[in-house]
Amino acid sequence: TITMTTTYPSSPTRQFHRQSSATGGGASSSSKPDISSSSPYAYTRTPSSLITLATCNLNQWALDFDGNATRILTSCQIAKDQHASYRLGPELELCGYGCEDHFLEQDTFDHCWESLVRLLDEGASDGLVCDFGMPVLHGGVRYNCRVICYNRRVLLIRPKTAMADNGNYREGRYFTAYTAPTAGGGSERHLLPTHFANKFGQRDVPFGLHYITCADGTTIGCESCEELWTPQSSHIDLALRGVEIIGNGSGSHHELRKLSTRMELMINATRKCGGVYLYSNQRGCDGSRTYYDGCAMIVVNGRIVAQAPQFDVQDVHVVTATVDLDDVRSYRASQPSFGIQAARLATEEGSGGGASNGLLCDDIHLVFDPLDVSLSGKNRPKVAEEDLSLQIAAPEEECCLGPACWLWDFLRRSGAAGFFLPLSGGADSSSVAAIVAVMCILVTKAARDDPEGNVAQDCRRVCRQDENSLWVPATPQEMGNHVLHTTFMGTDNSSEVTKSRAKRLGDAIGSYHLSIKIDLMVSAVLQVFQLATGHMPRFLSRGGTMSEDLALQNIQARLRMVTAYLMAQLLPWVRGRSGFLLVLGSANVDEGLRGYMTKYDCSSADLNPIGAISKGDLKRMLLFLSKKYPDFDVLAEIANAPPTAELRPIDAATATAEAGHSQTDEDDMGMTYEELGYFGRLRKISRCGPVSMFRKLLVTWSHLSPSEVASKVKRFFYYYSLNRHKMTTITPAYHAEAYSPDDNRFDLRQFLYNTKWTRQFAVIDDIVAQHPETDKDKND
């Protein structure tokens, strides 16, 4: 039975009753009253306020309805095994969060209802309140909803009220933010699909901004992802209405240094308002550039009592906690200001200021009696008494763990037999190789821990081993030899230093490594050009022009891309194996921002795990891994070497031992990677154009003169706008950095610019001319 209620939930009344008839017996020698069973002051049994709750990380895959439902069922069963009475799942978990324009298709909605029928029919909600995430078409409008079920019936459909439309998010393209109707007390009914009604005998369900009140007084409300980030968050209103348990099913992707902000919002929400806050998230690559980074957690009154890992290769991870709801009631009651606002809201609604949102479910009991032996199973978690410290990975750990898990999802779901990586021995390609090595470490450990589990089964399939066996790799290097193929593609312009580093790193990882020279290919292409035109280009250092020099550099880079795809198709055949290899790119975010790359060179690939990671973060990651894994000590040498493209002839007079070459990236670019980091963050995160960026950097770079700052800013915007077209064909890259220049989805800007920036640069020149430091320089 589900009925509307206008009451505000409170703690179950605790009373003691005097016996109607006095018993005999003398007074106790103690001054305390006798409260034995024969005493006239005996208490009635106190209702329990203990409840076990579950939340989860799920590695869902967009449009994989059967696989998604299986993972949801697994999470529900684990929750039941832990004696939970409430289970929270991620946002849009039935279809996967990243369906994007597939949300415009009616099929997606129909398949979600089919999945819900399967979940209920297979007992997911038997004895367990399940908070599912799925899209719902209501009144001809698409909504992103929470669907709360219990014992094979739907209790409530609760639509999302705030859409995420920034960065990678486009929810407003697919869904409408819900606004409760003013007529009818703010309550609507949703007509359930015919096949659902025929199966379960339920025709309709409440639809709107309600919360659930159970027969034992327990209250459950919903807050969906983006609503937590808004100024008027849903949890505030729910808390003031007395809702004790708030579930937030989310679809939040990884971004460097973002997790602490997200987690602090939940901690502070319950620290301010009290309550039990459950957070559930997807974890993994569901088919696109983003990686959802899990970290499901349970927070009570500002205290973390359970937290799932942020990065992992497992498909399902459930965390549970037993909490005492009296702690919530006591916490709120101890704050007079909270009581004043809660009472004011109750008064306003009682006088007609608004409609109550409570739904009374008088047949649902969620708390358990600790004295009932049948309910105190050994798997039930103990009452959380100690705070857990927030587990947050350092940025250098995030740089390797996130992309490693993303690559594993892509590899196992694509059907590929492994990766091919052009390994130059420089920091970027070495970072990609190191990330694959970390992937092998994670997968090998998980497979060896459970040789019959899903990770081990995927590992056998990817490595082309007998899927009916219990084979697992003995070491990460063994797996690395199966899945990673690396090749050093040298020319006469390459150094022995980088060739040696590439070979040593390949050996440490266990990759199938080759060292080749592509000068024959370069020479052949140049001869074709000479036959066609009668001209042979020369490097700048050998009497040529800059156009000739760039063309000679680019042909080397582009032939490496052609060679990479040839190797990716044929190396499995060479090794007597089946399948194909995914080509990995290795251009970092700063190079993409500046355009310091050749279009259709080795930056063009199937995937790029570092395309949104800065050079500085990559170097810190390499140093971190060299310390964490002693076998990878060559990474420290690579991290400390000056970056070089090795596309021009070596000038022995200027070549250094560390670089092994006379050509360095920062000299070619006319700016440092550290400066590119400043430009990138100001352009994207701070939303600065040339003038506002110049004004900020005047203060930040106070050690430089105004004219020097102006020169750097103008140089950056010139090359940024000149090379912006390269971002339209950039390889799909793991999204990690908030200033990524990815033109495909994240950084939507034109790619044909007036590179002179006439108005903007003129304003900068005027500011420089009027600056006091400029007058001082003139006088000097």
Side-chain angles (χ1 to χ4, degrees), residues 55 263-264 267 270-271 295-309 317-323 381-392:
T55 183
M263 298 298 100
E264 284 299 325
I267 294 170
T270 59
R271 183 177 292 132
C295 210
M297 67 190 315
I298 302 175
V299 185
V300 181
N301 297 339
R303 299 167 44 240
I304 302 171
V305 298
Q307 180 182 347
H317 198 119
V318 178
V319 293
T320 55
T322 297
V323 300
K382 296 180 180 180
V383 177
E385 296 179 353
E386 296 183 1
D387 298 3
L388 298 180
S389 58
L390 185 59
Q391 302 297 315
I392 300 179

Side-chain angles (χ1 to χ4, degrees), residues 459-745:
C459 184
R460 285 189 282 273
R461 180 168 47 79
V462 167
C463 295
R464 301 307 193 255
Q465 299 297 311
D466 183 0
E467 295 186 39
N468 295 318
S469 71
L470 291 180
W471 178 92
V472 292
T475 64
Q477 285 77 12
E478 182 182 1
M479 181 178 177
N481 186 260
H482 281 283
V483 302
L484 181 59
H485 303 70
T486 55
T487 300
F488 178 82
M489 303 182 193
T491 67
D492 289 339
N493 302 322
S494 304
S495 70
E496 289 298 320
V497 174
T498 51
K499 179 180 179 182
S500 170
R501 289 172 185 153
K503 175 67 166 60
R504 284 181 283 148
L505 179 57
D507 290 343
I509 294 172
S511 69
Y512 179 86
H513 184 75
L514 300 173
S515 292
I516 65 173
K517 297 195 73 173
I518 61 170
D519 293 297
L520 285 174
M521 300 171 64
V522 175
S523 177
V525 172
L526 292 177
Q527 288 179 31
V528 170
F529 178 81
Q530 186 179 34
L531 287 172
T533 65
H535 291 76
M536 177 63 76
R538 295 174 295 172
F539 285 103
L540 188 64
S541 61
R542 298 179 179 177
T545 64
M546 181 57 72
S547 294
E548 295 172 69
D549 192 282
L550 289 174
L552 288 171
Q553 292 187 67
N554 288 341
I555 192 59
Q556 298 171 68
R558 289 183 174 126
L559 286 174
R560 284 174 177 152
M561 186 269 287
V562 174
T563 305
Y565 275 96
L566 178 67
M567 292 288 189
Q569 283 187 289
L570 294 182
L571 280 183
W573 167 71
V574 169
R575 301 184 71 187
R577 299 177 179 180
S578 61
F580 62 95
L581 304 178
L582 295 169
V583 178
L584 297 180
S586 57
N588 64 63
V589 68
D590 296 324
E591 291 173 345
L593 182 67
R594 163 63 171 71
Y596 184 66
M597 62 176 67
T598 300
K599 203 172 186 179
Y600 305 116
D601 67 348
C602 283
S603 64
S604 296
D606 296 316
L607 298 170
N608 183 358
I610 67 167
I613 303 178
S614 70
K615 177 74 85 171
D617 279 333
L618 289 175
K619 286 191 171 185
R620 284 185 284 273
M621 180 194 76
L622 293 176
L623 293 172
F624 165 76
L625 291 175
S626 69
K627 295 176 182 177
K628 185 175 179 66
Y629 303 106
D631 290 345
F632 298 167
D633 57 343
V634 67
L635 293 178
E637 179 185 335
I638 293 170
N640 292 319
T644 173
E646 295 194 336
L647 294 172
R648 288 189 176 121
I650 300 175
D651 183 351
T654 58
T656 63
E658 293 81 7
H661 208 282
S662 54
Q663 180 185 15
T664 62
D665 290 358
E666 292 184 344
D667 287 341
D668 280 358
M669 292 190 298
M671 59 191 74
T672 67
Y673 281 106
E674 183 180 5
E675 290 171 346
L676 274 171
Y678 277 103
F679 295 141
R681 286 187 290 273
L682 288 172
R683 182 198 70 98
K684 178 66 176 178
I685 301 175
S686 298
R687 297 169 293 279
C688 288
V691 176
S692 52
M693 181 184 292
F694 169 69
R695 292 182 187 275
K696 290 180 185 296
L697 289 177
L698 269 180
V699 178
T700 304
W701 291 346
S702 58
H703 60 288
L704 299 177
S705 68
S707 59
E708 289 176 309
V709 175
S711 176
K712 288 178 179 291
V713 170
K714 289 193 284 187
R715 183 184 299 116
F716 164 72
F717 273 100
Y718 169 76
Y719 282 109
Y720 158 75
S721 57
L722 182 70
N723 292 308
R724 177 66 186 178
H725 65 94
K726 296 178 181 179
M727 293 299 97
T728 63
T729 60
I730 198 70
T731 297
Y734 176 94
H735 177 82
E737 185 57 76
Y739 70 86
S740 170
D742 185 341
D743 179 67
N744 294 278
R745 310 198 181 185

Side-chain angles (χ1 to χ4, degrees), residues 74-89:
T74 300
S75 71
C76 292
Q77 186 57 55
I78 295 174
K80 292 179 184 180
D81 292 343
Q82 296 288 321
H83 300 279
S85 53
Y86 169 78
R87 173 264 184 202
L88 173 71

Side-chain angles (χ1 to χ4, degrees), residues 58 61 64 77 95 115 136 161 221 228 234 277 352 366 375 423 431 434 469 517 545 554 595 664 688 761 769 773:
L58 296 183
W61 189 7
D64 180 24
Q77 186 57 55
C95 54
S115 292
V136 174
T161 61
L228 173 65
S234 301
Y277 200 101
L366 299 184
L375 299 177
L423 184 59
S431 294
S469 71
K517 297 195 73 173
T545 64
N554 288 341
T664 62
C688 288
F761 287 0
E773 289 294 323

